[in-house]
Every structure is written in C-alpha cells, then in structure tokens.
Amino acid sequence: MESADIVSVAAIVVIVYLVGEAVKAMTIANKWIPVICGAVGGVLGVLGMFIMPDFPAQDVLNAAAIGIVSGLAATGVNQVGKQLRRKGGM
C-alpha cells in the first residue's frame, strides 16, 4: 500500500469519525452508530474510487469494503479513546 492509499483511507476514517460524533449528539440510539459509520464509510469508499485517482480499489465491491472497514475503524478509534480515559491513561 502506497502512502497515497493510506491517506485516502485515513480521510474516510476521519470523515466517518466526525459523522459518528454528529450522530452521537442526536437522539439516535448508540447501538446504531457502528451501522451508520459502516454505511457512510461504504458510500465514501465508492465515491473515493471515482474521485481519487490513487484510491486503493479499482472496483465498486472492493471500494465499498475498504470504506466499510474504514468506517468501522472510526468506531474503534472512538472506543480506544474511551477505554484509555476510563483507565486513567489519558
């Protein structure tokens, strides 16, 4: 994976993280946040394939999969931060 590939995937993680934070601020139940993040990530992955010339996927299925995993990674980043704060690490 080249550095441009990593940047495009990281961009999806950051955008989906912000979407997750926005959803959390609404009255939507927290159990839906990972589903929403995965779906938004999938959509962004497919868009990224068409918009970014260096996107790591060349077909819609792989682009959606990369986006979904990136979206779920945003949820994981949030959980790691929560656990560190809970244990006094931060």
Side-chain angles (χ1 to χ4, degrees):
M1 194 179 253
E2 295 179 20
S3 63
D5 297 344
I6 293 169
V7 170
S8 60
V9 171
I12 294 173
V13 174
V14 171
I15 292 167
V16 173
Y17 180 83
L18 291 174
V19 169
E21 290 296 314
V23 169
K24 192 187 315 181
M26 297 178 193
T27 58
I28 298 172
N30 284 345
K31 69 179 181 178
W32 294 109
I33 293 176
V35 175
I36 293 167
C37 286
V40 170
V43 170
L44 289 175
V46 172
L47 283 173
M49 182 188 78
F50 291 110
I51 295 171
M52 297 181 209
D54 293 333
F55 196 75
Q58 300 303 316
D59 61 281
V60 174
L61 188 58
N62 281 322
I66 289 170
I68 291 168
V69 170
S70 299
L72 294 175
T75 305
V77 167
N78 181 280
Q79 291 303 310
V80 167
K82 283 171 105 174
Q83 294 299 323
L84 286 173
R85 285 190 296 276
R86 192 173 292 156
K87 293 182 182 194
M90 287 182 89

Coordinates of all heavy atoms in Angstrom, one line a residue:
M1 N 0.9 -1.2 0.0 CA 0.0 0.0 0.0 C 0.9 1.2 0.0 O 1.8 1.4 0.8 CB -0.9 0.0 1.2 CG -2.0 0.9 1.2 SD -3.1 0.8 2.6 CE -4.5 0.0 2.0
E2 N 0.7 2.1 -0.9 CA 1.5 3.3 -1.0 C 0.9 4.4 -0.1 O -0.2 4.3 0.5 CB 1.4 3.8 -2.5 CG 2.1 2.9 -3.5 CD 1.9 3.5 -4.9 OE1 1.7 4.7 -5.0 OE2 2.1 2.7 -5.8
S3 N 1.7 5.4 0.1 CA 1.3 6.5 1.1 C 0.0 7.2 0.6 O -0.8 7.6 1.4 CB 2.4 7.5 1.3 OG 2.7 8.1 0.1
A4 N -0.2 7.3 -0.7 CA -1.4 8.0 -1.2 C -2.6 7.1 -0.8 O -3.7 7.6 -0.5 CB -1.3 8.2 -2.7
D5 N -2.4 5.8 -0.9 CA -3.5 4.8 -0.5 C -3.9 5.0 1.0 O -5.1 5.0 1.3 CB -3.1 3.4 -0.7 CG -2.8 3.1 -2.2 OD1 -3.2 3.9 -3.1 OD2 -2.2 2.1 -2.5
I6 N -2.9 5.1 1.8 CA -3.1 5.3 3.3 C -3.8 6.6 3.5 O -4.7 6.6 4.4 CB -1.8 5.2 4.0 CG1 -1.2 3.7 3.9 CG2 -2.0 5.5 5.5 CD1 0.2 3.6 4.4
V7 N -3.4 7.6 2.9 CA -4.1 8.9 3.1 C -5.5 8.9 2.7 O -6.4 9.4 3.4 CB -3.3 10.0 2.3 CG1 -4.1 11.3 2.3 CG2 -1.9 10.2 2.9
S8 N -5.9 8.3 1.6 CA -7.3 8.2 1.2 C -8.1 7.4 2.1 O -9.2 7.8 2.5 CB -7.4 7.7 -0.3 OG -6.9 6.4 -0.3
V9 N -7.6 6.3 2.7 CA -8.3 5.5 3.7 C -8.4 6.3 5.0 O -9.4 6.3 5.6 CB -7.6 4.2 3.8 CG1 -8.2 3.4 5.0 CG2 -7.7 3.3 2.6
A10 N -7.3 7.0 5.4 CA -7.4 7.8 6.6 C -8.4 8.9 6.5 O -9.0 9.2 7.5 CB -6.0 8.3 6.9
A11 N -8.5 9.4 5.3 CA -9.5 10.5 5.1 C -10.9 10.0 5.4 O -11.7 10.7 6.0 CB -9.4 11.1 3.7
I12 N -11.2 8.8 4.9 CA -12.5 8.2 5.2 C -12.7 8.0 6.7 O -13.8 8.3 7.2 CB -12.7 6.8 4.4 CG1 -12.7 7.1 2.9 CG2 -13.9 6.1 4.9 CD1 -12.7 5.8 2.1
V13 N -11.7 7.5 7.4 CA -11.8 7.3 8.8 C -12.1 8.6 9.6 O -13.0 8.6 10.4 CB -10.5 6.7 9.4 CG1 -10.6 6.6 10.9 CG2 -10.3 5.3 8.8
V14 N -11.4 9.7 9.2 CA -11.6 11.0 9.9 C -13.0 11.5 9.6 O -13.7 11.9 10.5 CB -10.6 12.0 9.4 CG1 -10.9 13.4 9.9 CG2 -9.2 11.6 9.9
I15 N -13.5 11.4 8.3 CA -14.8 11.9 8.0 C -15.9 11.1 8.7 O -16.8 11.7 9.3 CB -15.0 11.9 6.4 CG1 -14.1 12.9 5.8 CG2 -16.5 12.2 6.1 CD1 -14.0 12.7 4.3
V16 N -15.7 9.8 8.7 CA -16.7 8.9 9.4 C -16.7 9.2 10.9 O -17.8 9.1 11.5 CB -16.5 7.5 9.0 CG1 -17.5 6.6 9.8 CG2 -16.8 7.3 7.5
Y17 N -15.6 9.4 11.4 CA -15.5 9.7 12.9 C -16.3 10.9 13.2 O -17.1 10.9 14.2 CB -14.0 9.9 13.3 CG -13.9 10.2 14.8 CD1 -13.9 9.2 15.7 CD2 -13.8 11.5 15.2 CE1 -13.7 9.5 17.0 CE2 -13.6 11.8 16.6 CZ -13.6 10.8 17.5 OH -13.5 11.0 18.8
L18 N -16.2 11.9 12.4 CA -17.0 13.2 12.6 C -18.5 12.9 12.4 O -19.3 13.4 13.2 CB -16.5 14.3 11.7 CG -15.1 14.8 12.0 CD1 -14.7 15.8 10.9 CD2 -15.1 15.5 13.3
V19 N -18.8 12.1 11.5 CA -20.2 11.7 11.3 C -20.7 11.0 12.5 O -21.8 11.2 13.0 CB -20.4 10.9 10.0 CG1 -21.8 10.3 9.9 CG2 -20.2 11.7 8.8
G20 N -19.9 10.1 13.0 CA -20.3 9.3 14.2 C -20.5 10.2 15.4 O -21.4 10.1 16.2
E21 N -19.6 11.2 15.6 CA -19.8 12.2 16.7 C -21.1 13.0 16.5 O -21.8 13.3 17.5 CB -18.6 13.1 16.7 CG -17.3 12.4 17.2 CD -17.4 12.0 18.7 OE1 -17.9 12.7 19.5 OE2 -17.0 10.8 18.9
A22 N -21.4 13.4 15.3 CA -22.6 14.1 15.0 C -23.9 13.2 15.3 O -24.8 13.7 15.9 CB -22.7 14.6 13.5
V23 N -23.8 12.0 14.9 CA -24.9 11.1 15.2 C -25.1 10.9 16.7 O -26.2 10.9 17.2 CB -24.7 9.7 14.5 CG1 -25.7 8.7 15.0 CG2 -24.8 9.9 13.0
K24 N -23.9 10.8 17.4 CA -24.0 10.6 18.9 C -24.7 11.8 19.5 O -25.3 11.7 20.6 CB -22.6 10.5 19.4 CG -22.5 10.0 20.9 CD -21.1 10.0 21.5 CE -20.1 9.4 20.6 NZ -18.8 9.4 21.2
A25 N -24.5 13.0 19.0 CA -25.1 14.2 19.5 C -26.6 14.3 19.3 O -27.3 15.1 19.9 CB -24.5 15.5 18.9
M26 N -27.1 13.4 18.4 CA -28.6 13.4 18.1 C -29.2 12.4 19.1 O -28.6 11.8 19.9 CB -28.8 12.9 16.7 CG -28.2 13.9 15.6 SD -28.5 13.2 14.0 CE -27.5 14.2 13.0
T27 N -30.5 12.2 18.8 CA -31.3 11.3 19.7 C -31.3 9.9 19.2 O -32.0 9.1 19.7 CB -32.7 11.8 19.8 OG1 -33.3 11.9 18.5 CG2 -32.8 13.2 20.5
I28 N -30.4 9.6 18.3 CA -30.3 8.2 17.7 C -29.6 7.3 18.8 O -28.6 7.7 19.4 CB -29.6 8.2 16.4 CG1 -30.3 9.0 15.4 CG2 -29.3 6.8 15.9 CD1 -29.6 9.2 14.1
A29 N -30.1 6.1 19.0 CA -29.5 5.2 20.0 C -28.1 4.9 19.6 O -27.8 4.7 18.4 CB -30.3 3.9 20.1
N30 N -27.2 4.7 20.6 CA -25.8 4.5 20.3 C -25.6 3.1 19.6 O -24.6 3.0 18.9 CB -25.0 4.4 21.7 CG -24.8 5.8 22.2 OD1 -24.9 6.8 21.5 ND2 -24.4 5.9 23.4
K31 N -26.5 2.2 19.7 CA -26.3 0.9 19.1 C -26.3 1.0 17.6 O -25.8 0.1 16.9 CB -27.4 -0.1 19.5 CG -28.7 0.2 19.0 CD -29.8 -0.8 19.5 CE -31.1 -0.5 18.9 NZ -32.1 -1.5 19.3
W32 N -26.8 2.1 17.0 CA -26.9 2.3 15.6 C -25.6 3.0 15.0 O -25.4 3.0 13.8 CB -28.1 3.1 15.2 CG -29.3 2.3 15.5 CD1 -30.3 2.5 16.4 CD2 -29.8 1.1 14.8 NE1 -31.2 1.6 16.4 CE2 -31.0 0.7 15.4 CE3 -29.3 0.4 13.7 CZ2 -31.7 -0.4 14.9 CZ3 -30.0 -0.7 13.3 CH2 -31.1 -1.1 13.9
I33 N -24.8 3.6 15.9 CA -23.6 4.3 15.4 C -22.7 3.5 14.6 O -22.3 3.9 13.5 CB -22.9 5.0 16.6 CG1 -23.8 6.1 17.2 CG2 -21.5 5.6 16.1 CD1 -23.2 6.8 18.4
P34 N -22.3 2.2 15.0 CA -21.4 1.4 14.1 C -22.1 1.1 12.7 O -21.4 1.1 11.7 CB -21.2 0.1 14.9 CG -21.5 0.5 16.3 CD -22.5 1.6 16.3
V35 N -23.4 0.9 12.7 CA -24.0 0.6 11.5 C -24.0 1.8 10.6 O -23.7 1.7 9.4 CB -25.5 0.1 11.7 CG1 -26.2 0.0 10.4 CG2 -25.5 -1.1 12.5
I36 N -24.3 3.0 11.1 CA -24.3 4.2 10.4 C -22.8 4.5 9.9 O -22.6 4.9 8.7 CB -24.8 5.4 11.2 CG1 -26.3 5.2 11.4 CG2 -24.6 6.7 10.5 CD1 -26.9 6.1 12.5
C37 N -21.8 4.3 10.7 CA -20.5 4.6 10.3 C -20.0 3.6 9.2 O -19.3 4.0 8.3 CB -19.5 4.4 11.6 SG -19.7 5.8 12.7
G38 N -20.4 2.4 9.3 CA -20.1 1.4 8.3 C -20.7 1.8 6.9 O -20.1 1.7 5.9
A39 N -22.0 2.2 7.0 CA -22.7 2.5 5.8 C -22.1 3.8 5.1 O -21.9 3.8 3.9 CB -24.2 2.7 6.1
V40 N -21.9 4.8 6.0 CA -21.3 6.0 5.4 C -19.9 5.8 4.9 O -19.5 6.3 3.8 CB -21.2 7.1 6.5 CG1 -20.4 8.3 6.1 CG2 -22.6 7.6 6.9
G41 N -19.1 4.9 5.6 CA -17.8 4.5 5.1 C -17.9 3.8 3.7 O -17.1 4.1 2.8
G42 N -18.9 2.9 3.6 CA -19.0 2.3 2.3 C -19.3 3.2 1.1 O -18.8 3.1 0.1
V43 N -20.2 4.2 1.4 CA -20.6 5.2 0.4 C -19.3 6.0 0.1 O -19.0 6.2 -1.1 CB -21.7 6.0 0.9 CG1 -21.9 7.2 0.0 CG2 -23.0 5.2 1.0
L44 N -18.6 6.4 1.1 CA -17.4 7.2 0.8 C -16.3 6.4 0.1 O -15.6 7.0 -0.7 CB -16.8 7.8 2.1 CG -17.6 8.9 2.8 CD1 -17.0 9.2 4.2 CD2 -17.7 10.1 1.9
G45 N -16.3 5.1 0.4 CA -15.3 4.3 -0.4 C -15.6 4.2 -1.8 O -14.7 4.4 -2.7
V46 N -16.9 4.1 -2.2 CA -17.3 4.0 -3.6 C -17.0 5.4 -4.2 O -16.5 5.5 -5.3 CB -18.7 3.6 -3.7 CG1 -19.2 3.7 -5.2 CG2 -18.9 2.1 -3.3
L47 N -17.4 6.5 -3.5 CA -17.1 7.8 -4.1 C -15.6 8.0 -4.3 O -15.2 8.6 -5.3 CB -17.7 8.9 -3.1 CG -19.2 9.1 -3.2 CD1 -19.6 10.1 -2.1 CD2 -19.6 9.7 -4.5
G48 N -14.9 7.6 -3.3 CA -13.4 7.8 -3.4 C -12.8 7.1 -4.6 O -11.9 7.6 -5.2
M49 N -13.4 5.9 -5.0 CA -12.9 5.2 -6.1 C -13.1 6.1 -7.4 O -12.2 6.1 -8.3 CB -13.7 3.9 -6.3 CG -13.2 3.1 -7.5 SD -14.2 1.7 -7.8 CE -15.6 2.4 -8.6
F50 N -14.2 6.8 -7.5 CA -14.4 7.6 -8.6 C -13.7 9.0 -8.6 O -13.4 9.6 -9.6 CB -15.9 7.8 -8.8 CG -16.6 6.6 -9.2 CD1 -17.5 6.0 -8.3 CD2 -16.4 6.0 -10.5 CE1 -18.2 4.8 -8.7 CE2 -17.1 4.9 -10.8 CZ -18.0 4.2 -9.9
I51 N -13.5 9.5 -7.4 CA -13.0 10.9 -7.2 C -11.4 10.9 -7.1 O -10.8 11.8 -7.7 CB -13.6 11.6 -6.0 CG1 -15.1 11.7 -6.3 CG2 -12.9 12.9 -5.7 CD1 -15.9 12.2 -5.0
M52 N -10.9 9.9 -6.4 CA -9.4 9.9 -6.1 C -8.7 9.0 -7.1 O -9.0 7.8 -7.1 CB -9.2 9.5 -4.7 CG -9.8 10.3 -3.6 SD -9.3 9.6 -2.0 CE -10.7 10.2 -1.0
P53 N -7.8 9.6 -7.8 CA -7.1 8.7 -8.8 C -6.2 7.6 -8.1 O -6.0 6.6 -8.7 CB -6.2 9.7 -9.5 CG -6.2 11.0 -8.8 CD -7.4 10.9 -7.8
D54 N -5.7 7.8 -6.9 CA -4.9 6.9 -6.2 C -5.6 6.0 -5.2 O -5.0 5.4 -4.4 CB -3.7 7.6 -5.5 CG -2.8 8.3 -6.5 OD1 -2.6 7.8 -7.6 OD2 -2.2 9.3 -6.1
F55 N -6.9 5.9 -5.3 CA -7.7 5.1 -4.4 C -7.3 3.6 -4.5 O -7.1 3.1 -5.6 CB -9.2 5.2 -4.6 CG -10.0 4.8 -3.5 CD1 -10.1 5.5 -2.3 CD2 -10.7 3.6 -3.6 CE1 -10.9 5.1 -1.3 CE2 -11.4 3.1 -2.5 CZ -11.5 3.9 -1.3
P56 N -7.1 2.9 -3.4 CA -6.6 1.5 -3.5 C -7.5 0.5 -4.1 O -7.1 -0.7 -4.2 CB -6.3 1.2 -2.0 CG -7.2 2.1 -1.2 CD -7.3 3.4 -2.0
A57 N -8.7 0.8 -4.5 CA -9.6 -0.2 -5.1 C -9.9 0.3 -6.5 O -10.1 1.5 -6.8 CB -10.9 -0.4 -4.3
Q58 N -10.1 -0.7 -7.4 CA -10.5 -0.4 -8.8 C -11.9 -0.8 -9.2 O -12.3 -0.7 -10.3 CB -9.4 -1.0 -9.7 CG -8.0 -0.5 -9.5 CD -7.9 1.0 -9.6 OE1 -8.5 1.7 -10.5 NE2 -7.2 1.7 -8.7
D59 N -12.6 -1.5 -8.2 CA -13.9 -1.9 -8.5 C -14.8 -1.5 -7.3 O -14.4 -1.3 -6.2 CB -14.0 -3.4 -8.7 CG -13.5 -4.2 -7.5 OD1 -12.3 -4.3 -7.4 OD2 -14.3 -4.7 -6.8
V60 N -16.1 -1.5 -7.6 CA -17.1 -1.0 -6.6 C -17.1 -1.8 -5.3 O -17.2 -1.3 -4.2 CB -18.5 -0.8 -7.2 CG1 -19.5 -0.5 -6.2 CG2 -18.5 0.2 -8.3
L61 N -17.1 -3.1 -5.5 CA -17.2 -4.0 -4.3 C -16.0 -3.8 -3.4 O -16.2 -3.7 -2.1 CB -17.3 -5.5 -4.8 CG -17.6 -6.5 -3.7 CD1 -18.9 -6.2 -3.0 CD2 -17.6 -7.9 -4.3
N62 N -14.8 -3.8 -3.9 CA -13.6 -3.6 -3.0 C -13.6 -2.2 -2.5 O -13.2 -2.0 -1.3 CB -12.3 -3.9 -3.8 CG -12.0 -5.3 -3.9 OD1 -12.3 -6.1 -3.0 ND2 -11.6 -5.8 -5.1
A63 N -14.0 -1.2 -3.2 CA -14.1 0.2 -2.7 C -15.1 0.3 -1.6 O -14.8 0.9 -0.6 CB -14.5 1.1 -3.8
A64 N -16.2 -0.4 -1.7 CA -17.2 -0.4 -0.6 C -16.7 -1.1 0.6 O -16.8 -0.6 1.7 CB -18.5 -1.0 -1.1
A65 N -16.0 -2.2 0.4 CA -15.4 -3.0 1.5 C -14.3 -2.1 2.3 O -14.3 -2.1 3.5 CB -14.8 -4.3 1.0
I66 N -13.5 -1.5 1.5 CA -12.5 -0.6 2.1 C -13.1 0.5 2.9 O -12.8 0.8 4.0 CB -11.5 0.0 1.0 CG1 -10.6 -1.1 0.5 CG2 -10.7 1.2 1.6 CD1 -9.8 -0.7 -0.7
G67 N -14.2 1.1 2.3 CA -14.9 2.2 3.0 C -15.6 1.7 4.3 O -15.6 2.3 5.3
I68 N -16.2 0.5 4.2 CA -16.9 -0.1 5.4 C -15.9 -0.3 6.5 O -16.1 0.0 7.7 CB -17.7 -1.3 5.0 CG1 -18.9 -1.0 4.2 CG2 -18.1 -2.1 6.3 CD1 -19.5 -2.2 3.5
V69 N -14.8 -1.0 6.2 CA -13.7 -1.2 7.2 C -13.2 0.1 7.8 O -13.0 0.2 9.0 CB -12.6 -2.1 6.6 CG1 -11.4 -2.2 7.6 CG2 -13.1 -3.5 6.3
S70 N -13.0 1.1 6.9 CA -12.5 2.4 7.4 C -13.6 3.0 8.3 O -13.2 3.6 9.3 CB -12.3 3.3 6.2 OG -11.3 2.8 5.4
G71 N -14.9 2.9 8.0 CA -15.9 3.4 8.8 C -16.0 2.8 10.2 O -16.1 3.4 11.2
L72 N -15.8 1.4 10.2 CA -15.8 0.7 11.4 C -14.6 1.0 12.2 O -14.6 1.0 13.5 CB -16.0 -0.8 11.2 CG -17.3 -1.2 10.6 CD1 -17.4 -2.6 10.3 CD2 -18.5 -0.8 11.5
A73 N -13.5 1.3 11.6 CA -12.2 1.7 12.3 C -12.4 3.0 13.0 O -11.9 3.2 14.1 CB -11.1 1.9 11.3
A74 N -13.3 3.9 12.5 CA -13.6 5.2 13.2 C -14.3 4.9 14.5 O -14.0 5.5 15.5 CB -14.4 6.1 12.3
T75 N -15.2 3.9 14.5 CA -15.8 3.5 15.7 C -14.8 2.9 16.7 O -14.9 3.2 17.9 CB -16.9 2.4 15.4 OG1 -17.8 2.9 14.4 CG2 -17.7 2.1 16.6
G76 N -13.9 2.1 16.2 CA -12.8 1.6 17.0 C -12.0 2.6 17.6 O -11.6 2.5 18.8
V77 N -11.6 3.7 16.9 CA -10.8 4.8 17.4 C -11.5 5.4 18.6 O -10.9 5.7 19.6 CB -10.5 5.8 16.3 CG1 -10.0 7.1 16.9 CG2 -9.6 5.2 15.3
N78 N -12.8 5.6 18.4 CA -13.6 6.2 19.5 C -13.6 5.3 20.7 O -13.4 5.8 21.9 CB -15.1 6.4 19.0 CG -15.9 7.0 20.1 OD1 -16.4 6.4 21.0 ND2 -16.1 8.3 20.0
Q79 N -13.7 4.0 20.6 CA -13.7 3.1 21.7 C -12.4 3.0 22.4 O -12.3 2.9 23.6 CB -14.2 1.7 21.3 CG -15.6 1.6 20.9 CD -16.5 2.1 22.0 OE1 -16.4 1.6 23.1 NE2 -17.4 3.0 21.7
V80 N -11.3 3.1 21.6 CA -9.9 3.1 22.2 C -9.8 4.3 23.1 O -9.3 4.3 24.3 CB -8.8 3.0 21.2 CG1 -7.5 3.4 21.7 CG2 -8.8 1.7 20.5
G81 N -10.2 5.5 22.6 CA -10.1 6.7 23.4 C -10.9 6.6 24.7 O -10.5 7.0 25.8
K82 N -12.1 6.0 24.6 CA -12.9 5.9 25.8 C -12.3 5.0 26.8 O -12.3 5.3 28.0 CB -14.3 5.3 25.4 CG -15.3 6.3 24.8 CD -16.5 5.6 24.3 CE -17.7 5.7 25.1 NZ -18.9 5.2 24.5
Q83 N -11.7 3.9 26.4 CA -11.1 2.9 27.3 C -9.8 3.5 27.9 O -9.6 3.3 29.1 CB -10.7 1.6 26.5 CG -11.9 0.9 26.0 CD -12.8 0.4 27.2 OE1 -12.3 0.0 28.3 NE2 -14.1 0.4 26.9
L84 N -9.0 4.3 27.2 CA -7.9 5.0 27.8 C -8.3 6.0 28.8 O -7.6 6.1 29.9 CB -7.0 5.6 26.7 CG -6.2 4.7 25.8 CD1 -5.6 5.5 24.6 CD2 -5.2 3.9 26.6
R85 N -9.3 6.7 28.5 CA -9.8 7.7 29.5 C -10.3 7.0 30.8 O -10.1 7.4 31.9 CB -10.8 8.6 28.9 CG -10.3 9.7 28.0 CD -11.3 10.7 27.6 NE -12.4 10.2 26.9 CZ -12.4 10.0 25.5 NH1 -11.3 10.3 24.8 NH2 -13.4 9.5 24.9
R86 N -11.0 5.9 30.6 CA -11.6 5.2 31.7 C -10.6 4.6 32.6 O -10.7 4.5 33.8 CB -12.5 4.1 31.1 CG -13.4 3.5 32.2 CD -14.4 2.5 31.6 NE -15.3 3.2 30.8 CZ -16.0 2.7 29.8 NH1 -15.9 1.4 29.5 NH2 -16.9 3.4 29.1
K87 N -9.4 4.1 32.0 CA -8.4 3.5 32.8 C -7.4 4.5 33.3 O -6.4 4.1 33.9 CB -7.7 2.4 32.0 CG -8.6 1.3 31.7 CD -8.0 0.2 30.9 CE -9.0 -0.9 30.7 NZ -8.4 -2.1 30.3
G88 N -7.6 5.8 33.0 CA -6.7 6.8 33.5 C -5.4 7.0 32.7 O -4.5 7.6 33.1
G89 N -5.4 6.4 31.5 CA -4.3 6.6 30.6 C -4.1 7.9 29.9 O -3.1 8.3 29.5
M90 N -5.2 8.7 29.9 CA -5.2 10.0 29.3 C -5.6 11.0 30.2 O -6.4 10.9 31.0 CB -6.1 10.0 28.0 CG -5.4 9.3 26.9 SD -6.5 9.4 25.4 CE -5.8 10.8 24.6

